[in-house]
Amino acid sequence: MKARLVTEVAGIVEASVEQVWQVLAGAPAEQGTTVEPDRHTITHQGGWWYRGEWTLSPHPDGTRVVHRVYDVAESMRWCVRPANRFFIGFRERTREGFAARLGVIARRLGCACRVT
């Protein structure tokens, strides 16, 4: 079954990809986390439906950070939306959580960041 994109949020951290990667990849890994240094990508598989991906790429102002959430349910896919109350507020909560994490990274690096 193909993964379905649920939401995506992006931002800029005004530091190099390598600096941002050191902070992001240096955080304690949760169970179900895959770190791919060559792609500057961290993937977290949680529960039966959730996969979150964080990807870094160069940007003229520093580093573009993208967080994508996918529905990867292989069975009972119809249950995902009801189980998450049709994702009411999910995008906003994801954006808020992303902004907070971006802020932590920027503070650790002593630079600015913004959600785009």
Side-chain angles (χ1 to χ4, degrees):
M1 182 104 2
K2 186 176 177 184
R4 183 181 66 83
L5 181 64
V6 175
T7 192
E8 177 179 311
V9 63
I12 306 298
V13 177
E14 294 180 3
S16 73
V17 170
E18 291 306 322
Q19 290 172 306
V20 176
W21 178 253
Q22 290 300 317
V23 175
L24 187 62
E30 300 175 29
Q31 184 176 358
T33 300
T34 303
V35 178
E36 300 177 65
D38 56 324
R39 292 182 52 220
H40 292 110
T41 299
I42 297 175
T43 304
H44 178 74
Q45 184 76 34
W48 59 279
W49 74 271
Y50 175 91
R51 183 175 75 222
E53 295 180 355
W54 287 70
T55 304
L56 309 181
S57 60
H59 184 275
D61 294 334
T63 300
R64 183 170 190 260
V65 182
V66 179
H67 175 53
R68 293 179 183 95
V69 176
Y70 293 94
D71 168 2
V72 294
E74 292 184 15
S75 63
M76 298 189 337
R77 193 169 199 153
W78 63 270
C79 290
V80 174
R81 286 190 180 264
N84 288 286
R85 295 190 184 117
F86 296 104
F87 296 102
I88 295 170
F90 185 79
R91 284 186 174 90
E92 292 79 15
R93 288 190 308 277
T94 300
R95 186 175 176 87
E96 290 168 4
F98 175 81
R101 189 147 183 206
L102 222 57
V104 168
I105 293 168
R107 280 190 297 282
R108 293 229 8 233
L109 294 172
C111 64
C113 69
R114 65 185 179 278
V115 176
T116 56

